């Protein structure tokens, strides 16, 4: 059974930093594409950053240069380091894994990030 558990959200002033973690069980982070998505009230869920099984990364244009996605395969955990946060980064952040040949989506429960000006 695949489980993704996020942690590390919170409230911060604009310009501050936060780090998110996603602990995976039932899958290997090293073997699957993993990513962070976010959803703000009234908006669609959007991709923030993704990391492939080979370690390649891609980012939404709005976070490039500010956010960094990484993983620790020994801990089976994925991270998102968020720097220079802006109020428009306020959203619920979700961990995602695409598993198997059909890239079945699994989601965590989400963690709230609130950035105030």
């Amino acid at each position: 059974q695949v489980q993704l558990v996020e942690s590390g959200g919170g409230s911060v002033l604009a310009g501050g930093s936060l780090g998110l973690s996603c602990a995976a069980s039932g899958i290997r982070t090293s073997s699957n594409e993993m990513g962070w998505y976010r959803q703000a009230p009234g908006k669609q869920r959007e991709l923030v950053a993704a990391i492939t099984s080979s370690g390649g990364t891609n980012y939404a244009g709005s976070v490039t240069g500010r956010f960094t996605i990484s993983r620790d395969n020994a801990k089976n955990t994925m991270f998102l380091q968020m720097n220079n946060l802006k109020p428009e980064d306020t959203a619920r952040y979700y961990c995602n894994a695409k598993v198997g040949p059909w890239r079945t989506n699994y989601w965590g429960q989400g963690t709230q990030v609130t950035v105030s000006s």
Side-chain angles (χ1 to χ4, degrees), residues 73-85:
N73 293 334
K75 295 182 178 179
N76 215 34
T77 300
M78 179 180 64
F79 305 97
L80 184 69
Q81 179 62 38
M82 305 182 292
N83 298 327
N84 191 21
L85 282 159

Side-chain angles (χ1 to χ4, degrees), residues 40-115:
K43 294 189 177 181
Q44 287 191 330
R45 191 172 296 190
E46 62 175 0
L47 175 68
V48 175
I51 184 166
T52 68
S53 56
S54 59
T57 59
N58 67 282
Y59 297 90
S62 60
V63 308
T64 299
R66 300 188 297 122
F67 291 11
T68 303
I69 189 171
S70 63
R71 66 183 181 216
D72 184 331
N73 293 334
K75 295 182 178 179
N76 215 34
T77 300
M78 179 180 64
F79 305 97
L80 184 69
Q81 179 62 38
M82 305 182 292
N83 298 327
N84 191 21
L85 282 159
K86 303 176 180 181
E88 51 264 42
D89 295 318
T90 295
R92 192 164 185 84
Y93 284 69
Y94 295 89
C95 175
N96 171 265
K98 300 186 188 302
V99 180
W102 291 278
R103 295 168 60 81
T104 302
N105 280 303
Y106 290 91
W107 298 93
Q109 80 286 354
T111 185
Q112 181 67 33
V113 171
T114 302
V115 185

